[in-house]
Amino acid sequence: MHGPAIRLLLALSIFVLAGAAPAPAVPAGAATEAGDYLSKLPPLIDRELFFGDPEISGAQISGDGRFISFRKPYRGVMNVWIKKTNKPFGSARPLTADTERPVRAYFWTQDSRYVLYLQDQGGNENFHIHAVDPTAKPGKGAKVPPARDLTPIEGITARIYALPERTPDTIVIGLNDRDPAVHDVYRLTISTGERELLLRNEQNVVSWVADLDGNIRLAYRTTADGGGEVLRVGDDGLEPVYSCTFEETCAPARFHKDGKRVYMVTNTGDHDLSRLVLFDPATGEEQLVHQDPEGEVDFGSPIFSDATEQLIGAAYVGDRVRIYPFTDELKRDLAVLRDKLPDGELGFSSATEDDRYALVGVASDVNPGSVYLYDSQQGSVEKLYDSRPELPSEHMAPVTPVRYTARDGQEIPAYLTVPRGVEPRRLPAIVVPHGGPWSRDRWGFSSVEQFLANRGYVVLSPNFRGSTGYGKAFLNAGNGEWGTGLMQHDISDGVKYLVDEGIADPERIAIMGGSYGGYATLAGLTFTPDLYAAGVSIVGPSNIITLLKSIPAYWGPIQKIFHRRVGDPDDPADQERLKRQSPLYSATRINKPLLVIQGANDPRVKQAESDQIVVALRDLGRPVEYMVAPDEGHGFAGRENRLAMHVAIERFLAQHLGGRHQQSMQKDVATRLAALMVDVASVKMPELPEGLEPAKTSDLPQVSADTLKPLDLRYTSKVQVGAQELIIRSTRTHGADTLDDRPVWKVTGRAETPAGNAEDTFWLDPATLQPLRRSASQGPARIELQFTAERVTGRIQAGPSEVDVDRALEAPVFGEGPGLEAVLLALPLEPGYHTNVRVFETARQQVRPMSVTVAGKETLDVAAGSFETWHAVLQPLDGESGGGDYWVSTGSGPMLIRSVTRIPPVMGGGKVSTELTEVVDAN
């Protein structure tokens, strides 16, 4: 930020709450040539039947019962279609026509007037909300009604908090347009697109909870120690009413229809398993509603009536799903459905507002599912469609819940899939750890597991410690236990179980997974290399430190949870452990073949995570293959990409485990496969925001310090924080000086502020412009720091409070404020210029890696005159807000002409705009 005034006013009182957590995605593959058992397997099933687009999926009935919508390919891409409820599917017409990316999430408004859907671009997870009127006519030359982007703001990700039934033309949403780290609350009118700001998120709220009328009544945020806090939203702001530690759960689920109490899922206190309670925010009273009758698992999900808003049942996920009805009506409905529908797990996808009609899905371990229209009044069911009608269920492999004992005696729940038709004796096997890691596997149909079983592999899906659903002790046993700890040990002990039971051939076991499962794959090959013959990592992080440093900005409010459960990369003790747990730092131990798969637009696990491990293994001469999709994010959504990925996996596993694989593939898939496979010789260690490790330790850029000239400049800054605006006048003085009898370059900033005059001086090495000393003051506040290449020491004083600074540095840094400004003036700026810098941020005693990019050359007219400038953009690489735009004059004796910098949300959010008003002296 230009000018020391605001920095000194705020530097001593900043505490940053930020956030993150990756999520799942689990693919798979198959093989050739093995033993006699291959001839006993069912027929080889075309991979298109597993991973091509389903014929129909995701059906929903409109609230008024007139329409049924569903997802179906349109021009080769999954889009939303619609038909009248009493008409056949052949009469359906498309509602959306996205030809680039499938529409994966949509729903009806409360009055059945619109279909809303969420869509991002290329997997970047910047979701916008779109609306389509299903009764509207297509425009001229179009095949679908016009869709409106209700949140047409670049770079945001929208969230939906409520669809009020009483005001169906409005929805309550969250937007992170003001600050990418947090979501403010708006009421959005669907018909007009108008937005009304309801609440400004200035307290790092993670989520907002509305009552049934759409009034925001509660907020949930992460506390400084990683715990959770439920807050009541009132006229006087946010008031804490319920709390839990970072090891506990206290999550509001939905308001009661009385508008006073809220259903909450909680396991605070002595309760290990979470329960459903009714909580009164006004009185603090808590009433137990339901908990698992079998005392086995956490509370699952509530079931509400659309007609009465009454809680009518609850579902729990044990080895299989268990549904408990609370009303005679639901008890009767379940009896009718179980009598008339095939055996399997029931799923209620949507219902009419009067509860008469409901769409009910039935799926099993060997059947991806069918959907039925249920008429509760008549007690009748009508089959609407099969999701994948050509997939032969008779050839699918049954999935069996199993338990095995970990090395410390803990029982680990898992699911075992054995190829149909063969004895489970010494077969090639694949362990598939789930993503998250704070999620779990469950019984049901999995295209991945069935595909692998059809190719001849036993599949083990373990719910290792750190998985959710089995109580807080089981979950918290995974804290800090990535890679070299219990979470990975549980996976390794699953391999031992397969071998000890004689199920798996110990020489032919692979590990494969996505997201955390991809990390577990890399960790398995690294820390237990003798267990596995090969591995497939899909969007898996290789370096936990860079993973934690590059999280999406909008995960900011939950970063502390990640730090408590995984580790704080800025804590020296945690950092050393995280390095030990990161496969990248022990890549020399990987000696088995690895296939790495990555989406270039992944905002959670950046491409740098895969690039890093590929480069490391390539340079070590280890066998590694690499696939990158330029139009995908955290998992592959596009049909051709999905199929190409599974061709690569199938071939890889066949080569290294000896299963079978399908030789043929469609021409478009073959073309896509060739385009996605990367020559590992061409991969470079990342230097851009996707990878922070190089920026943290690489050499600082060369500066042309001899181009700097003595300067005496005057500036005016406009500070905007919320609705407040402040004008500050400041000066910058650059010139040669001495410090302890050695020559230095000295930069001093002075400012006149309502809080008193401020001064900030850096003494810089004249060759590198790295700081040697800093002295800053404003009223009773003082900063005195000394810098070496290895350490920053000194003291921060604010009145009677003093804070000692003693921070080890992994690599040299630049100063902030005036110190950084001198660096920008001395960089060899030109069109296309890019570099990374490291800045020591005094307020948090942190080193922040940042990129500097020249956006172009511009002519600026300011009070001091007209100047040709380089427009340089400073962008933090740690996923947090900050940085800004700087315009530096071209030619000799460069000067800062203008800057626009962003104030982090913890400082109130806003920006500082600074312009040069007078050049007093420039020699």
Side-chain angles (χ1 to χ4, degrees), residues 530-566:
D530 295 337
L531 279 185
Y532 302 106
V536 180
S537 171
I538 303 153
V539 297
S542 63
N543 184 343
I544 308 175
I545 295 173
T546 54
L547 170 73
L548 295 173
K549 287 288 191 178
S550 60
I551 59 174
Y554 53 87
W555 285 5
I558 60 170
Q559 184 178 21
K560 196 63 180 179
I561 296 175
F562 219 79
H563 287 174
R564 296 299 298 266
R565 292 200 179 280
V566 184

Side-chain angles (χ1 to χ4, degrees), residues 839-854:
V839 179
F840 183 76
E841 185 177 88
T842 305
R844 293 188 288 172
Q845 300 187 38
Q846 284 187 352
V847 176
R848 298 193 72 188
M850 300 187 179
S851 68
V852 179
T853 305
V854 174

Side-chain angles (χ1 to χ4, degrees), residues 21 60 74 129 354 424 438 560 583 634 642 678 720 832:
Q60 298 181 32
Y74 175 73
I129 305 169
D354 61 2
W438 307 303
K560 196 63 180 179
H634 201 63
R642 287 198 311 273
V678 175
Q720 295 173 291

Side-chain angles (χ1 to χ4, degrees), residues 408-429:
D408 63 352
Q410 174 68 49
E411 185 179 78
I412 305 299
Y415 294 95
L416 184 68
T417 306
V418 177
R420 185 179 286 274
V422 298
E423 288 295 317
R425 305 299 301 170
R426 293 185 65 83
L427 298 177

Side-chain angles (χ1 to χ4, degrees), residues 156-464:
I156 59 98
T157 181
R159 293 176 177 173
I160 297 177
Y161 296 125
L163 287 83
E165 191 168 347
R166 292 186 181 180
T167 55
D169 191 34
T170 64
I171 56 176
V172 182
I173 68 169
L175 293 177
N176 60 338
D177 55 333
R178 177 181 59 86
D179 178 356
V182 295
H183 284 71
D184 298 329
V185 183
Y186 291 84
R187 178 173 285 111
L188 172 65
T189 301
I190 302 171
S191 57
T192 65
E194 294 179 357
R195 295 191 303 272
E196 175 192 358
L197 178 64
L198 299 180
L199 289 165
R200 187 182 172 98
N201 189 347
E202 296 178 330
Q203 298 196 39
N204 286 294
V205 169
V206 177
S207 62
W208 303 88
V209 182
D211 61 21
L212 299 184
D213 292 331
N215 303 305
I216 295 293
R217 300 278 300 282
L218 295 176
Y220 180 87
R221 70 180 173 197
T222 304
T223 58
D225 61 357
E229 195 169 48
V230 179
L231 306 107
R232 183 169 58 176
V233 179
D235 294 337
D236 297 328
L238 305 181
E239 175 193 358
V241 293
Y242 201 99
S243 64
C244 50
T245 70
F246 85 96
E247 294 183 322
E248 298 174 329
T249 294
C250 53
R254 167 174 164 152
F255 263 86
H256 190 277
K257 64 179 182 178
D258 65 14
K260 298 178 181 179
R261 296 173 294 168
V262 63
Y263 290 101
M264 289 217 317
V265 179
T266 178
N267 59 11
T268 54
D270 296 332
H271 303 286
D272 181 52
L273 298 177
S274 64
R275 321 175 299 157
L276 183 69
V277 303
L278 262 178
F279 173 71
D280 189 332
T283 65
E285 293 180 4
E286 180 179 320
Q287 173 190 347
L288 175 64
V289 176
H290 206 255
Q291 58 189 349
D292 184 8
E294 297 188 13
E296 177 191 18
V297 293
D298 289 324
F299 182 81
S301 56
I303 304 172
F304 288 93
S305 163
D306 284 315
T308 66
E309 308 296 352
Q310 179 184 357
L311 179 70
I312 59 174
Y316 293 82
V317 183
D319 284 348
R320 291 184 57 173
V321 174
R322 295 181 266 114
I323 299 176
Y324 296 91
F326 299 161
T327 64
D328 291 340
E329 291 80 7
L330 181 58
K331 188 180 301 184
R332 182 205 65 208
D333 291 339
L334 289 173
V336 171
L337 292 169
R338 286 173 176 147
D339 178 59
K340 297 190 174 184
L341 298 181
D343 181 44
E345 309 285 43
L346 296 178
F348 299 88
S349 62
S350 65
T352 54
E353 286 299 321
D354 61 2
D355 274 351
R356 175 173 178 177
Y357 295 101
L359 298 190
V360 182
V362 184
S364 71
D365 53 345
V366 298
N367 191 327
S370 305
V371 173
Y372 297 79
L373 177 63
Y374 173 55
D375 182 341
S376 62
Q377 195 175 91
Q378 300 295 326
S380 62
V381 293
E382 174 192 352
K383 187 174 184 179
L384 298 180
Y385 64 87
D386 295 309
S387 178
R388 296 182 182 272
E390 297 181 12
L391 194 67
S393 294
E394 67 274 14
H395 295 319
M396 297 295 102
V399 178
T400 305
V402 296
R403 298 285 190 278
Y404 61 86
T405 303
R407 63 192 67 184
D408 63 352
Q410 174 68 49
E411 185 179 78
I412 305 299
Y415 294 95
L416 184 68
T417 306
V418 177
R420 185 179 286 274
V422 298
E423 288 295 317
R425 305 299 301 170
R426 293 185 65 83
L427 298 177
I430 301 173
V431 179
V432 183
H434 62 71
W438 307 303
S439 62
R440 59 156 290 177
D441 274 318
R442 55 192 291 175
W443 187 87
F445 185 87
S446 164
S447 291
V448 169
E449 293 167 8
Q450 292 297 335
F451 176 62
L452 293 175
N454 182 258
R455 269 49 179 172
Y457 306 111
V458 168
V459 182
L460 182 71
S461 303
N463 281 319
F464 43 85

Side-chain angles (χ1 to χ4, degrees), residues 54-62 67-72 78-83 89 104 106-108 347-351 358-361 370-373 382-387:
E55 187 172 297
I56 297 174
S57 67
Q60 298 181 32
I61 191 168
S62 60
F67 298 104
I68 289 177
S69 54
F70 53 93
R71 294 171 65 250
K72 175 182 174 179
M78 291 296 281
N79 275 278
V80 181
W81 292 61
I82 189 172
K83 76 175 191 72
F89 277 84
R104 295 195 283 179
Y106 82 94
F107 46 90
W108 287 87
F348 299 88
S349 62
S350 65
L359 298 190
V360 182
S370 305
V371 173
Y372 297 79
L373 177 63
E382 174 192 352
K383 187 174 184 179
L384 298 180
Y385 64 87
D386 295 309
S387 178

